[in-house]
Amino acid sequence: MNENLERDRQVLLAGLLEDDSHENFEVGSFGHHEALDRAHIQLDNWSQHLAEHPFVILHPDLFEKANVITGLMADFYQSVGALE
């Protein structure tokens, strides 16, 4: 992870750790399953409503980018689900 991105994550993490609510988001928790569900919802929404939109299909460059994004979203979903 690059330094700027890690710095941003640390700022968000500090805010999360100010109280004990982060415990609700440990691996195997409701928060973990919620994140997996949200990833699935976003992937499904993206695929159905934008990646396969007729305008996107008619433009090869957009269709290619949409396909890359779909792959990244699917990989993210699998990564969340693989955490134990």
Side-chain angles (χ1 to χ4, degrees), residues 40-54 70:
H40 179 267
I41 289 169
Q42 294 303 319
L43 174 57
D44 191 48
N45 187 48
W46 166 263
S47 295
Q48 287 185 21
H49 300 287
L50 196 54
E52 297 172 4
H53 190 280
T70 300

Side-chain angles (χ1 to χ4, degrees), residues 25 30-41 76-77 80:
F25 299 95
F30 173 80
H32 179 200
H33 296 286
E34 180 183 47
L36 183 63
D37 178 65
R38 296 300 193 273
H40 179 267
I41 289 169
F76 179 82
Y77 171 80
V80 172

Side-chain angles (χ1 to χ4, degrees), residues 6-19 22:
E6 177 58 17
R7 192 173 320 128
D8 293 347
R9 190 184 79 83
Q10 288 298 324
V11 169
L12 293 169
L13 183 60
L16 183 63
L17 296 177
E18 286 180 357
D19 58 35
H22 68 280

